[in-house]
Amino acid sequence: MSLKGNWNYPTPITVGEGCLQQIAQACRGAGISNALLVTDPGLAALPMVTETVALCREAGIGCEVFSRIQGNPTGENVEDGLTVYRQGGFDGVIAFGGGSSLDAAKAIALMAGQSLPLWAFEDVGDNWLQANVDAIAPVIAIPTTAGTGSEVGRASVITDTANHVKKIIFHPKMLPVRVLLDPAVTTGLPPHITAATGMDALSHNLEAYCANGYHPMAEGIALEGIRLIKAYLPQAVADGSNLEARTQMLVASSMGATAFQRGLGGMHAIAHTLGALYDKHHGLLNAILMPYVLVANRSAIEDKLTHLARYLDLPEPGFDAFLTWVLDFRAALQIPHTLADIDITVEEAQRVGRMAVQDPSAGGNPVALSAEQYSRIFVDAVTGRLPQH
């Protein structure tokens, strides 16, 4: 079976080995004649970025690189990129990299012609209506990791360093106008990053599946996304050059971010908090938190997880079967079992609880958890205690 296609949900997506070669065509289709390629420092010096710049320039499209992006992108990173964008006379953005680069790139594109500051567009109420829609630059997205799915998202997660909190910046027009899912650009990803980002994709699909919002289409997408990750993430980790596994993981990642229009939940509420406080890898945080949040939500998701376990063809399908699979799956991928394993301690438990309950993702959790309950989940995830298991 040929793993190539052109899809138009939720935005035009080209998938398949070698589709990076279509970058100049994609820019022309988006009306981009001078692109700022936003990526991270590690990727900036690699041949794939050099090749992308060359493909654009050979087609008569200007292209320069901005790479001052942190692992958890900050408002300062966006401001730096915005200065370069405005001074360079660019008319579009190529978002190239993992979730951090994609999020920063989309935020730069949003801010290209705005007069209000970045935080004015935090995803609260109708803040997005304040934006000058015509001043938002088009984005072409090329993900190099299969995790966040930011390439099909209408928001960016940016750290407000002054307040030590991650904020979701939202506008419908932040959705990239074209996505290129080329598995060849992901083959060099190390196994531990492949595992952590893949678990991030799993957390997106899983929390979307468990969320309370009414969105049967998203629920169906999440269900199949989880099945793809179960089948292909171990293969991608074991053999990074496996193009079938890399393709299916890129697709599953995009599916997760498409599905979480339905909502996220406690994993992300805590992970966003810990990312802001400790600057740890977002996907790894979700991976570690996953079983602890599932147990906390058991009363509300038992029937759903029984159906999911049956769909995944797990033995004796039920909540316990699925939880056992998650624990075994993480262990096989060498994901740590506790937050203590990545040097997070319980000292900030109360603060974590207060911040998590206020995170926008908390609104999608199947159980309305209090700050105290979020603190308890955090402590369990530090110590490795799984209640009733």
Side-chain angles (χ1 to χ4, degrees), residues 165-223:
V165 63
K166 284 193 172 187
K167 293 182 177 178
I168 298 175
I169 307 301
F170 168 82
H171 194 282
K173 206 174 173 183
M174 289 174 71
L175 179 68
V177 298
R178 179 81 180 276
V179 176
L180 303 178
L181 297 182
D182 188 340
V185 304
T186 70
T187 56
L189 205 64
H192 72 284
I193 299 296
T194 300
T197 54
M199 287 297 293
D200 193 25
L202 177 59
S203 73
H204 291 157
N205 282 284
L206 181 56
E207 289 211 296
Y209 176 71
C210 292
N212 288 328
Y214 177 68
H215 199 325
M217 290 182 288
E219 188 172 352
I221 289 168
L223 197 66

Side-chain angles (χ1 to χ4, degrees), residues 72 158-161 163-167 270-280 285 351 355:
N72 287 294
I158 307 294
T159 300
D160 176 354
T161 54
N163 296 298
H164 300 286
V165 63
K166 284 193 172 187
K167 293 182 177 178
I270 302 174
H272 286 156
T273 298
L274 299 182
L277 293 177
Y278 299 100
D279 197 26
K280 300 293 186 179
L285 290 170
R351 185 182 184 188
M355 291 176 66

Side-chain angles (χ1 to χ4, degrees), residues 245-263:
R246 291 294 195 183
T247 301
Q248 298 285 25
M249 282 304 302
L250 277 171
V251 171
S253 175
S254 291
M255 291 169 74
T258 300
F260 72 53
Q261 292 180 29
R262 189 171 189 238

Side-chain angles (χ1 to χ4, degrees), residues 287-336:
I288 296 172
L289 290 163
M290 187 173 292
Y292 305 98
V293 174
L294 288 174
V295 169
N297 287 332
R298 179 169 187 156
S299 62
I301 63 175
E302 191 142 12
D303 290 345
K304 286 183 176 180
L305 290 194
T306 297
H307 177 65
L308 174 56
R310 191 174 293 117
Y311 187 73
L312 297 178
D313 200 26
L314 299 181
E316 301 180 24
F319 180 92
D320 288 330
F322 183 77
L323 182 62
T324 297
W325 173 76
V326 166
L327 292 169
D328 291 346
F329 195 65
R330 292 191 323 161
L333 297 173
Q334 298 186 348
I335 298 292

Side-chain angles (χ1 to χ4, degrees), residues 55 61-62 69 83-84 121-122 125 132 136 177 181 208 214 225 247 291 293 296 329 334 358 364 385:
L55 286 167
I61 295 168
I69 306 294
T83 298
V84 172
F121 305 108
E122 184 180 0
N132 177 352
I136 300 174
V177 298
L181 297 182
Y214 177 68
T247 301
V293 174
F329 195 65
Q334 298 186 348
Q358 294 173 0
R385 174 180 173 268

